[in-house]
Structures are given as C-alpha cells and as structure tokens.
Amino acid sequence: MQSNLLTIRLHSADNVVVARADLSSGAVIPDEEVTRRGSIPFDHKIATSFIRAGYPVKKYGQIIGFASQDIPPGEHVHTHNLSVKEFTRDYAMGEE
C-alpha cells in the first residue's frame, strides 16, 4: 500500500486513490504524478490514470463501479461519473 500526506492507495491494482484531506485544484499528487483537476473532498476518489467510459473503476483491488464517461487522471471520481452495472464477480477471493 502506497501513501503520502494527500492521498492513500488502498491496493496496487486500483486506478483511484483516496483523498486524506480536502484537496484544492492544481497541485501534483506525490507518488502518482497526477495533477488534481478541481477540488476533491476528503475521503473521495481521484483517478490516477485515464479511465475510459464503460471501463471498471477499482478500489480495494475490486470493481466498485464503471466510468459513465471518460475520466482523465486527476479527476474527482464520484456519482457524477460512476455507474453501477452487472458483472461477473470472483467470490473465491479472500477464501484463505
């Protein structure tokens, strides 16, 4: 798990990090080489790579939803650009 003062990455497979404080627009997020695009509230998600519309958004190494529009790196990821739809789940994860 990578972390810094501004964000925390919960799993290496995630394409978002979580804001550890209210973040203002424009600053670079250390460890991610991403510039924030707009203000991000505490505990909200920030895209760390380009997420194409329809592609999965991953947090905790798991799919938490799908991009309802293209999401550029540094963009706030929340209900305005995230949707839920059916997909096959791997229930064997974490059996051990």
Side-chain angles (χ1 to χ4, degrees), residues 13-17 45-59 64-78 81-82:
D14 293 351
N15 52 8
V16 297
V17 290
K45 299 168 292 301
I46 305 160
T48 56
S49 61
F50 184 82
I51 307 170
R52 187 166 308 284
Y55 280 62
V57 174
K58 289 189 173 184
K59 181 178 173 186
I64 61 162
F66 295 86
S68 58
Q69 61 191 46
D70 288 346
I71 304 173
E75 186 76 27
H76 182 200
V77 178
H78 200 54
N81 57 11
L82 188 64

Side-chain angles (χ1 to χ4, degrees), residues 16-75:
V16 297
V17 290
V18 179
R20 297 177 75 175
D22 289 338
L23 304 177
S24 59
S25 180
V28 174
I29 299 170
D31 300 332
E32 301 298 336
E33 299 179 13
V34 170
T35 301
R36 291 188 306 272
R37 299 169 53 98
S39 298
I40 313 289
F42 164 73
D43 204 33
H44 281 233
K45 299 168 292 301
I46 305 160
T48 56
S49 61
F50 184 82
I51 307 170
R52 187 166 308 284
Y55 280 62
V57 174
K58 289 189 173 184
K59 181 178 173 186
Y60 310 108
Q62 299 294 307
I63 296 172
I64 61 162
F66 295 86
S68 58
Q69 61 191 46
D70 288 346
I71 304 173
E75 186 76 27

Side-chain angles (χ1 to χ4, degrees), residues 54 56 63 65-66 83-89 91:
I63 296 172
F66 295 86
S83 63
V84 178
K85 62 182 181 179
E86 288 296 317
F87 65 98
T88 303
R89 291 160 174 82
Y91 292 105

